Amino acid sequence: MAKVTVDGNVVEVPNDANALEACRAAGVDVPHFCYHPRFTIVGQCRMCMVEIDGMPKVQASCTVPIRDGMVIRATSEKALAARNATMEFLLINHPLDCPICDQAGECQLQDNAVAGGLPVSRTSEPRRLTPGYDRTEIGPHVIADMTRCIHCTRCIRFCSEIAGTGELSLIERGGHAIVWTHEGRILDNEWSACTADVCPVGALTTKEFRFRKRVWWLDKTSSICPGCEIGCNVSLEHRDQVVHRFLPRVNPEVNDFWLCDHGRFLAESLNGRDFLKPLVPNGTLPSAPGGAGRRETNWGEALGLVHEKLKAAQAGSIVALGSANLSTEENWLLAELFGKTVGSPNVEFEADQGPLRRIPNRKAVGADGGFVKGTVAAPNAKGAEAAGVRKADGASALGKILAGSLVPDVLYVSDAAFSARTADPAFAAKLRKAKFLVVHARVENPLTDVADVVLPVSGMTGKDGSFVNVQGRVQRFDAAFVPPPIVRTDLEVLLHLGRLFGSFETRWTAAHVFGKLAAAVPAYQGLTWEEPAVTGLPPSSSPAAAYDVLRPPRTSVDDTDKLPALAGKA
Amino acid sequence: MSEMWPAGYVPVLLARISRPDSPAIDGYLADGGYASWKKVLAGIATGEWTPSKVTDLVKASGLRGRGGAGFPCGLKWTFVPPKEKRGNKPVYLLCNADESEPGTFKDRVLIEKDPHQILEGMMLASFALGVRHAYLYIRGEMVHGAEVLNAAVDEAYAKGLLGKNVQGSGLDLDLTIHRGGGAYICGEETALIESLEGKRGHPRIKPPFPAVSGVWASPTVVNNVETLCCVKHILDRGPDWFRTYGRNEKNTGPKLFCISGHVERPGVYEAPMGIPFLELLALAGGVKGGRKLKAVIPGGSSAPMLTAEEVQSMPLDFDGVAAAKSMLGSAAIIVMDETTDIPKAVANISKFYAHESCGQCTPCREGTPWLNKMLKRVVNGQGKRQDLDLLVQVASQMGNGMTICVFSDAAIAPVLSGIAKFRPEFEACLAKAASPDFALTAPSDVTEKVAGRMAEGIHS
Ligand SMILES: Cc1cc2nc3c(=O)[nH]c(=O)nc-3n(C[C@H](O)[C@H](O)[C@H](O)COP(=O)(O)O)c2cc1C
Ligand code: SF4
Ligand code: SF4
């Protein structure tokens, strides 16, 4: 550690910090654009200019390694004049299209201009245009608008240093320089939309979010990406009960600053909702396919019917399927109810093997070749197992049902989309062989088409809970908004059903259940619902400055480096 | 053809350029070329010649770099970390032949007319620095020069002056000619290195300096073509001889000057360091048509402009030009006579910098085109009252540490010096402008003179 003085305050910073980091540690917000904690220092934007004693000229603070005893003057007249100069230079050509720019509201250039820019413009020259390089798709997700580019090269460095794919480069020189893909290539890597995150301005935006919502209307909820077992921390951003996007929520131990495109663009898939009321059979069982033989009802009748069928059935002939998409709390309730109360030996789950997903992270536990990797296409396979739900295989009940050697009295599916196979009518038909088929569902699929009872549930947006990711890390997600009336969370459905058996109380919350689970499952010992290791870091205000969440205000780097101990225990 | 050096002066660097077939190795050998290289190689085994001996000779000669900054050459060589510190990293020598400073064309003559002189200088410097692979980076547009150099390198290999175990000395030395893509900024030593590595020519943040971390993160010495030629002559004739040229101990050796602009005989001249400007001007036949001298740019377009008065007694060496608050730079002397429209000249130079900025640093990338746009307007009669002050203010916030390299400082030098020294001419441009902005300004804001011209401009 070294002691550095910033504007008269002494802070202790690690020896490998630079002067910009020292200023930030001292709570002095020195604006900057090209600096990013994960990219090489290029010192190009010349925004973070400060004065340093002993150096006659102003310095780009990110380029100056600190040394013990260094005295930095971050708000001296000379430093401020230098920064004003850079802002002026950036603004003479930047278009004044904030009203139609998606970045407005989370634009670092706009923020800096508002915070410290000059009130007037001294230029009367025509602004630079970039014909042919505007509003152009440069890949499957990213749209480039080069009139807005401030040449910070973050996007280029993301592709070359983090993704390792190097699709982007500066072409041309000086004021004509633009960022574009190399000839004959497109920006298409597993994390291409991260370039839009790191872009401080609206030069790179995603096709999916473009023109969807002014960002200041968005509410941000801490969540976990449902795309795979890595469990990237996301900020689920929504308005009026509609999810608009995922942004990465920084977690140096998991996804760091990144998200893969696959997971990021699952966000809007959380919006569909086909069921608003429970459905029960209209007449005789089994119901006719296509839902023709069902009618809407209330929860009392629906759960009453399920309760009745369960009581009437042979415990050994009851099969309950948990899900790697449901929270650990829900899987645990399912295991408690069906395993312990009902006494069925068949509480199991199946999770899809998916394509390999990777998140660049060199330091994380379990990182392999610079990546945290996930092969299970659901977020909570480890949690389901930890909750006591066993993995299905050929010899288990699910395997037997599929082989046709078991026709259960009751098949209770807690997640109608527990596997991609549920999209296959032939697969659904095999499960339909059960004498009584109950599913929790948010959207229609071949399995809901043939179920006897459909219990309408909220999906992730309406509930809180926790997952266990591929590293064994317990991670919480929060409810974004209240689901429509009548629709319940999976947890509530299980609690209400459990109450009919006298096992659960309906006033329990996910936090409650987490506490019970933590008391019951040894791996969870000592873990609490509220602790930072479980909640992760809060969403940041702007994706380009996401690392701000790593820095509590007005403290030393010493403290900021000690992130909440995020080591999971399960 | 009249001589390109003062009467009675015996040229050193240009000695061979008018010989028939001067680039060929046979003539070079016949003229005593490669004697120093062979002498050093032969003395390795006996211990007569060591790298530090060569470095000491160069230091003793007082040779300062001819690329622009005038940094003492021998001192720069000593910045390469010793073997104990650099470990297994190789040391590279990189000869800077990117010559693209406007007004500069001296290296080209050496390259095209006497390439072996350069190669021998590089060989000797390589020995002094422990280099096993030396590079020469030549500006892309110099196609002929690259051909000449490549032929010369082939000849040197064929004669056993390069390659493995050169002349049985046990020393290996390879030399590669690398052609650039034609960008001014690639002459800046760290951009040169990036470009040599196959990347965009972007100057690097310094420190680390190339001598510590240059080509492929290894210690690298970058020297100009002319500097390395001088090394050869120092080894031929000794540092004492070298120091006989020049005004004082800090400015020594024979020097090439590129004179262009309004002179009778523009071209590359050789003279002792420190030759008075007026003598050199006379050598070039004086101001064209016997007209009056108005201004001089003494060291390439990046050097602040001087007025005729300021150059009257100015000696042309690093310290002499610095005393006049400009710089000798690449010794490209651009002479402007009384007919020169200074604002137009400045606008023209600013176009070059707007075109050549590499674009990394905000103040340079945005500032150079801004200056150019304003200057273009001013000279086209569309200036506004506030333009001159704005030009000065904008230029003043582009230099002095605001950028990674000193290109930006170079870009503002002609603007600031031009306006400071020839302000009335710029004001006259504004006066011609009939822009409403200008017409509306209160005369108290501008000088009486300009106000008068303004009226003229409006009525004519
Ligand atoms: C913008 C810029 C352009 C330059 N161009 C050249 C050039 O074309 N040739 C050259 O020899 N040095 C050039 N230099 C100077 C080099 O950076 C370097 O100082 C020089 O090659 C060192 O050689 P010397 O020590 O032998 O003078 C340039 C410097 C700057 C800042
Ligand atoms: S597109 Fe965005 S991230 Fe890329 S260089 Fe331009 S401003 Fe920076
Ligand atoms: S000062 Fe200009 S030329 Fe030099 S690195 Fe910066 S942008 Fe490039």
Coordinates of all heavy atoms in Angstrom, one line a residue, chain B residues 64-73 76 94 96-101 106-107 184-190 192 206 222-228 302 353 405-407 410, ligand 1:
Chain B
R64 N 24.4 15.0 -31.7 CA 23.0 15.1 -31.3 C 22.1 14.6 -32.4 O 22.4 14.8 -33.6 CB 22.7 16.5 -30.9 CG 23.4 16.9 -29.6 CD 23.2 18.4 -29.3 NE 21.8 18.7 -28.9 CZ 21.5 20.0 -28.5 NH1 22.4 20.9 -28.3 NH2 20.3 20.2 -28.2
G65 N 21.1 13.9 -32.0 CA 20.2 13.3 -33.0 C 19.7 14.3 -34.0 O 19.3 15.4 -33.7
R66 N 19.6 13.8 -35.3 CA 19.2 14.6 -36.4 C 17.8 14.5 -36.7 O 17.3 15.0 -37.7 CB 20.0 14.3 -37.6 CG 21.6 14.5 -37.6 CD 22.1 15.5 -36.8 NE 23.5 15.8 -37.1 CZ 24.4 16.4 -36.3 NH1 24.0 16.7 -35.0 NH2 25.6 16.6 -36.6
G67 N 17.0 13.7 -35.9 CA 15.6 13.4 -36.3 C 14.7 14.5 -35.9 O 13.6 14.6 -36.4
G68 N 15.1 15.4 -35.0 CA 14.2 16.5 -34.6 C 14.4 17.1 -33.2 O 14.5 18.3 -33.1
A69 N 14.6 16.2 -32.3 CA 14.7 16.7 -30.9 C 16.2 17.0 -30.5 O 16.4 17.7 -29.5 CB 14.2 15.6 -29.9
G70 N 17.1 16.6 -31.3 CA 18.5 16.9 -31.0 C 19.0 16.3 -29.7 O 19.8 16.8 -29.0
F71 N 18.5 15.1 -29.4 CA 18.9 14.4 -28.1 C 20.3 13.8 -28.3 O 20.6 13.2 -29.3 CB 17.9 13.3 -27.8 CG 18.1 12.9 -26.3 CD1 17.5 13.6 -25.3 CD2 18.8 11.8 -26.0 CE1 17.6 13.2 -24.0 CE2 19.0 11.4 -24.7 CZ 18.4 12.1 -23.7
P72 N 21.2 14.0 -27.3 CA 22.6 13.5 -27.5 C 22.6 12.0 -27.7 O 22.0 11.2 -27.0 CB 23.2 13.8 -26.1 CG 22.5 14.9 -25.6 CD 21.1 14.8 -26.1
C73 N 23.2 11.6 -28.9 CA 23.0 10.2 -29.4 C 23.7 9.2 -28.4 O 23.1 8.2 -28.1 CB 23.7 10.1 -30.8 SG 23.6 8.5 -31.5
K76 N 21.7 8.6 -25.3 CA 20.5 7.8 -25.5 C 20.9 6.3 -25.5 O 20.2 5.5 -25.0 CB 19.9 8.1 -26.9 CG 18.5 7.5 -27.1 CD 18.1 7.6 -28.6 CE 17.2 8.8 -28.8 NZ 16.6 8.8 -30.2
L94 N 16.5 0.6 -34.5 CA 15.5 1.0 -35.5 C 15.9 2.3 -36.1 O 15.9 3.3 -35.4 CB 14.1 1.0 -34.8 CG 12.9 1.4 -35.6 CD1 12.8 0.6 -36.9 CD2 11.6 1.2 -34.7
N96 N 15.1 5.4 -38.2 CA 13.9 6.1 -38.6 C 14.1 6.8 -39.9 O 14.8 7.8 -40.0 CB 13.6 7.1 -37.5 CG 12.3 7.8 -37.6 OD1 11.7 7.7 -38.7 ND2 11.8 8.4 -36.6
A97 N 13.5 6.2 -41.0 CA 13.6 6.7 -42.3 C 12.2 7.1 -42.8 O 11.9 6.9 -43.9 CB 14.3 5.8 -43.3
D98 N 11.4 7.5 -41.8 CA 10.0 7.8 -42.2 C 9.9 9.3 -42.7 O 8.8 9.7 -42.9 CB 9.1 7.6 -41.0 CG 7.6 7.6 -41.4 OD1 7.3 6.8 -42.3 OD2 6.9 8.5 -40.9
E99 N 11.0 9.9 -42.8 CA 11.0 11.4 -43.1 C 9.7 11.9 -43.8 O 9.5 11.7 -45.0 CB 12.2 11.6 -44.1 CG 12.4 13.0 -44.4 CD 13.7 13.2 -45.2 OE1 13.8 12.7 -46.3 OE2 14.6 13.8 -44.6
S100 N 8.9 12.6 -43.0 CA 7.7 13.2 -43.6 C 7.3 14.5 -43.1 O 6.3 15.1 -43.4 CB 6.5 12.2 -43.4 OG 6.7 11.3 -42.4
E101 N 8.2 15.1 -42.3 CA 8.0 16.5 -41.8 C 8.0 17.4 -43.0 O 8.9 17.4 -43.8 CB 9.1 16.8 -40.8 CG 9.1 18.3 -40.3 CD 8.2 18.5 -39.1 OE1 7.7 17.5 -38.6 OE2 7.9 19.6 -38.8
K106 N 16.1 15.5 -46.6 CA 17.5 15.2 -46.5 C 17.8 13.7 -46.4 O 18.7 13.3 -47.1 CB 18.1 15.9 -45.3 CG 17.5 15.4 -44.0 CD 18.0 16.2 -42.8 CE 17.4 15.7 -41.5 NZ 17.7 14.3 -41.1
D107 N 17.0 13.0 -45.6 CA 17.2 11.6 -45.5 C 17.1 10.9 -46.8 O 17.7 9.9 -47.1 CB 16.3 11.0 -44.5 CG 16.5 11.5 -43.1 OD1 17.6 12.1 -42.8 OD2 15.6 11.3 -42.2
Y184 N 2.5 10.3 -41.5 CA 3.5 11.2 -40.8 C 3.7 10.8 -39.4 O 4.9 10.7 -38.9 CB 2.9 12.7 -40.9 CG 3.7 13.6 -40.0 CD1 5.0 13.9 -40.2 CD2 3.0 14.3 -39.0 CE1 5.7 14.8 -39.4 CE2 3.7 15.3 -38.2 CZ 5.0 15.5 -38.4 OH 5.7 16.4 -37.7
I185 N 2.7 10.4 -38.7 CA 2.8 10.1 -37.3 C 3.7 8.9 -37.1 O 4.3 8.7 -36.0 CB 1.4 9.9 -36.6 CG1 1.5 9.9 -35.1 CG2 0.7 8.6 -37.1 CD1 2.1 11.2 -34.6
C186 N 3.9 8.0 -38.1 CA 4.7 6.9 -37.9 C 6.2 7.3 -37.8 O 7.1 6.5 -37.5 CB 4.6 5.9 -39.0 SG 3.0 5.0 -38.9
G187 N 6.5 8.6 -38.0 CA 7.9 9.0 -37.7 C 8.1 9.3 -36.2 O 9.3 9.2 -35.8
E188 N 7.1 9.4 -35.5 CA 7.2 9.6 -34.0 C 7.7 8.2 -33.5 O 7.1 7.2 -33.9 CB 5.9 10.0 -33.4 CG 6.0 10.5 -32.0 CD 6.1 9.4 -30.9 OE1 5.7 8.2 -31.2 OE2 6.5 9.7 -29.8
E189 N 8.7 8.2 -32.7 CA 9.4 6.9 -32.5 C 8.5 5.8 -31.9 O 8.7 4.6 -32.3 CB 10.6 7.1 -31.6 CG 10.4 7.7 -30.3 CD 11.7 8.1 -29.5 OE1 12.7 7.9 -30.1 OE2 11.6 8.6 -28.4
T190 N 7.6 6.1 -31.1 CA 6.8 5.0 -30.5 C 5.7 4.5 -31.5 O 5.3 3.3 -31.5 CB 6.1 5.3 -29.2 OG1 5.4 6.5 -29.3 CG2 7.2 5.5 -28.1
L192 N 6.3 4.6 -34.7 CA 7.1 3.8 -35.6 C 7.3 2.4 -35.1 O 7.1 1.5 -35.9 CB 8.5 4.5 -35.5 CG 9.6 4.1 -36.5 CD1 9.3 4.6 -37.9 CD2 11.0 4.6 -36.1
K206 N 4.4 7.4 -22.8 CA 5.8 7.3 -22.3 C 5.8 7.9 -20.9 O 5.2 8.9 -20.6 CB 6.8 8.1 -23.1 CG 6.9 7.4 -24.5 CD 8.0 8.2 -25.3 CE 7.4 8.9 -26.5 NZ 8.3 9.5 -27.4
V222 N 16.0 4.1 -31.3 CA 15.5 4.7 -32.5 C 16.4 5.9 -32.9 O 16.6 6.8 -32.1 CB 14.1 5.2 -32.4 CG1 13.6 5.8 -33.7 CG2 13.2 4.1 -31.9
N223 N 17.0 5.8 -34.0 CA 17.9 6.9 -34.5 C 17.5 7.3 -35.9 O 17.1 6.4 -36.7 CB 19.4 6.5 -34.5 CG 20.0 6.8 -33.1 OD1 20.7 6.0 -32.6 ND2 19.7 8.0 -32.5
N224 N 17.7 8.5 -36.2 CA 17.4 9.1 -37.5 C 18.5 8.6 -38.5 O 19.6 8.3 -38.1 CB 17.4 10.6 -37.4 CG 17.3 11.3 -38.8 OD1 18.3 11.8 -39.3 ND2 16.2 11.2 -39.4
V225 N 18.2 8.6 -39.8 CA 19.1 8.2 -40.9 C 20.4 9.0 -40.8 O 21.5 8.5 -40.8 CB 18.4 8.4 -42.2 CG1 19.4 8.4 -43.4 CG2 17.3 7.4 -42.5
E226 N 20.3 10.3 -40.7 CA 21.4 11.2 -40.7 C 22.3 11.0 -39.5 O 23.5 11.0 -39.6 CB 21.0 12.7 -40.8 CG 22.1 13.6 -41.0 CD 21.7 15.1 -41.0 OE1 20.5 15.4 -41.1 OE2 22.5 16.0 -40.8
T227 N 21.6 10.7 -38.4 CA 22.4 10.5 -37.1 C 23.3 9.3 -37.3 O 24.5 9.3 -36.9 CB 21.4 10.2 -36.0 OG1 20.3 11.2 -36.0 CG2 22.1 10.2 -34.6
L228 N 22.7 8.2 -37.9 CA 23.5 7.0 -38.0 C 24.6 7.2 -39.1 O 25.7 6.6 -38.9 CB 22.6 5.8 -38.4 CG 21.7 5.4 -37.2 CD1 20.5 4.6 -37.6 CD2 22.5 4.7 -36.1
S302 N 6.7 21.9 -38.0 CA 6.4 21.9 -36.5 C 7.1 23.0 -35.7 O 6.8 23.1 -34.5 CB 6.7 20.5 -35.9 OG 6.2 19.5 -36.7
Y353 N -1.8 19.0 -40.6 CA -1.9 18.4 -39.2 C -3.3 17.7 -39.0 O -3.4 16.7 -38.3 CB -1.5 19.4 -38.1 CG 0.0 19.6 -38.1 CD1 0.5 20.7 -38.8 CD2 0.8 18.7 -37.6 CE1 1.9 20.9 -38.8 CE2 2.2 18.9 -37.6 CZ 2.7 20.0 -38.2 OH 4.1 20.2 -38.2
C405 N 1.5 12.3 -27.5 CA 2.7 12.7 -28.1 C 2.8 14.1 -28.4 O 1.8 14.9 -28.2 CB 3.0 11.8 -29.4 SG 2.2 12.5 -30.9
V406 N 3.9 14.6 -28.9 CA 4.0 16.0 -29.1 C 3.5 16.5 -30.5 O 3.7 17.7 -30.9 CB 5.5 16.5 -28.9 CG1 5.8 16.4 -27.4 CG2 6.4 15.8 -29.8
F407 N 2.9 15.6 -31.3 CA 2.3 16.0 -32.5 C 1.4 17.2 -32.3 O 1.4 18.2 -33.1 CB 1.5 14.8 -33.1 CG 0.7 15.1 -34.4 CD1 1.2 14.7 -35.6 CD2 -0.5 15.8 -34.3 CE1 0.5 15.0 -36.8 CE2 -1.2 16.1 -35.5 CZ -0.7 15.7 -36.7
A410 N 3.2 20.3 -32.0 CA 3.8 20.7 -33.3 C 2.7 21.3 -34.1 O 2.9 22.3 -34.8 CB 4.3 19.4 -34.0
Ligands
LIG1 C1 5.1 13.8 -34.9 C2 6.5 13.4 -35.0 C3 7.1 13.0 -36.2 C4 8.4 12.6 -36.3 N1 8.9 12.3 -37.5 C5 10.2 11.9 -37.6 C6 10.7 11.5 -38.9 O1 10.0 11.5 -39.9 N2 12.0 11.1 -38.9 C7 12.8 11.1 -37.8 O2 13.9 10.7 -37.9 N3 12.3 11.5 -36.6 C8 11.0 11.9 -36.5 N4 10.5 12.2 -35.3 C9 11.4 12.2 -34.1 C10 11.4 10.8 -33.5 O3 10.4 10.6 -32.6 C11 12.7 10.4 -32.8 O4 12.9 11.4 -31.8 C12 13.9 10.4 -33.7 O5 13.7 9.5 -34.7 C13 15.1 10.0 -32.9 O6 16.3 9.9 -33.7 P1 17.5 10.8 -33.3 O7 17.8 10.7 -31.9 O8 18.6 10.2 -34.2 O9 17.2 12.2 -33.7 C14 9.2 12.6 -35.2 C15 8.7 13.0 -34.0 C16 7.4 13.4 -33.9 C17 6.8 13.8 -32.6

